[in-house]
């Protein structure tokens, strides 16, 4: 139980059901993904676009493991409408200032659940005439067969539980946990 005791002061009274991916496991996989991404883009300009906020921890580790020149920017999307069932309407709150045309765009997401957010973003980003567009997700729940663009780089096929940590939140809490965990009810 000592791993749980170590983070008790971060948990706001909630408990962790289990650690799904611990920090060393994530670090090893991020190393592999960085190498894989480096090999996938032998030439051209690469712009890594982090979808905020969930991807910020993953993105910062990942870009330092990609052994080729690249640029980083962010994109902020927000779903709105009915708050219990996602409406499928996604608004761009921050649009990357960087030129996308002619560049390889790698969109980095924390977790793919219904895929609605990504589907809308893919549509929007495609219109900017990038040289290529691909998705990298740390976690993929494999719940949807309806992705406009299937993720090319995936860290882990995630269990169908609500996960927090390593950037993922529950009502904005738990993003700073160094591992991915599922919350106890
Ligand atoms: P989608 O549009 O349904 O694929 O939702 C993707 C977004 O929902 C992710 O970027 C996360 O912010 C959030 N999300 C989905 N599943 C989880 C989870 O298990 N834990 C934390 N956030 C999640
Ligand atoms: Mg979230």
């Amino acid at each position: 139980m000592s791993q749980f005791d170590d983070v008790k002061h971060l948990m706001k009274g909630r408990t962790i059901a289990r650690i799904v991916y611990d920090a060393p496991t994530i670090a090893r996989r991020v190393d592999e993904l960085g190498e894989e991404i480096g090999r996938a883009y032998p030439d051209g300009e690469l712009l890594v676009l982090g979808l905020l906020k969930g991807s910020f921890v993953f993105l910062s580790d990942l870009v330092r493991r990609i052994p080729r020149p690249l640029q980083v920017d962010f994109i902020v999307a927000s779903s709105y409408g009915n708050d219990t069932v996602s409406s499928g309407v996604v608004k761009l709150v921050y649009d990357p200032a960087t030129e996308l045309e002619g560049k390889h765009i790698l969109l980095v997401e924390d977790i793919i659940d219904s895929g609605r957010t990504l589907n809308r973003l893919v549509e929007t980003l495609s219109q900017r005439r990038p040289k290529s567009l691909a998705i990298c997700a740390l976690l993929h729940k494999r719940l949807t067969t309806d992705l406009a663009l299937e993720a090319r780089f995936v860290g882990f096929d995630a269990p169908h539980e609500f996960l927090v940590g390593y950037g993922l939140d529950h009502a904005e809490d738990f993003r700073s946990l160094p591992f991915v965990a599922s919350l106890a009810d």
Side-chain angles (χ1 to χ4, degrees), residues 32-41 46 62 66 106 136 153:
E32 291 170 357
L33 281 175
E35 289 293 330
E36 195 182 330
I37 291 166
R39 282 196 302 274
Y41 297 99
L46 175 63
L62 182 68
I66 301 175
L106 181 63
C136 174
F153 308 99

Side-chain angles (χ1 to χ4, degrees), residues 79-89 114 116:
S79 307
Y80 61 100
N82 186 322
D83 57 6
T84 49
V85 180
S86 173
S87 61
V89 185
S114 75
R116 282 199 191 93

Side-chain angles (χ1 to χ4, degrees), residues 54 110 168-169 172 175:
D110 54 353
L168 286 90
D169 73 303
E172 295 301 327
R175 293 193 195 275

Side-chain angles (χ1 to χ4, degrees), residues 110-128:
D110 54 353
I111 186 165
I112 302 176
D113 188 354
S114 75
R116 282 199 191 93
T117 314
L118 277 179
N119 280 346
R120 171 62 216 290
L121 284 175
V122 163
E123 188 188 317
T124 304
L125 294 174
S126 302
Q127 291 164 3
R128 311 284 172 87

Side-chain angles (χ1 to χ4, degrees), residues 4 17 23 28 44 82 85 95 98 115 123 131 147 152 155 180:
F4 296 163
R28 278 195 301 273
N82 186 322
V85 180
D95 204 338
T98 327
E123 188 188 317
K131 189 178 175 73
L147 286 179
R152 178 165 178 193
V180 173

Side-chain angles (χ1 to χ4, degrees), residues 51-85:
L51 180 55
L52 290 179
K53 298 174 202 171
S55 75
F56 83 105
V57 178
F58 175 45
L59 181 87
S60 73
D61 284 343
L62 182 68
V63 292
R64 287 177 289 174
R65 296 290 175 266
I66 301 175
R68 57 104 74 215
L70 56 81
Q71 296 181 343
V72 177
D73 207 335
F74 297 95
I75 193 162
V76 184
S78 98
S79 307
Y80 61 100
N82 186 322
D83 57 6
T84 49
V85 180

Side-chain angles (χ1 to χ4, degrees), residues 91-150:
K91 192 174 73 164
L92 281 190
V93 178
Y94 169 75
D95 204 338
T98 327
E99 180 67 55
L100 305 190
E101 187 167 343
K103 294 179 182 166
H104 294 296
I105 307 299
L106 181 63
L107 183 60
V108 178
E109 166 75 304
D110 54 353
I111 186 165
I112 302 176
D113 188 354
S114 75
R116 282 199 191 93
T117 314
L118 277 179
N119 280 346
R120 171 62 216 290
L121 284 175
V122 163
E123 188 188 317
T124 304
L125 294 174
S126 302
Q127 291 164 3
R128 311 284 172 87
R129 300 161 53 90
K131 189 178 175 73
S132 70
L133 177 61
I135 294 164
C136 174
L138 175 68
L139 303 166
H140 196 327
K141 288 190 179 170
R142 306 282 178 197
L143 286 171
T144 173
T145 50
D146 194 26
L147 286 179
L149 181 64
E150 187 50 84

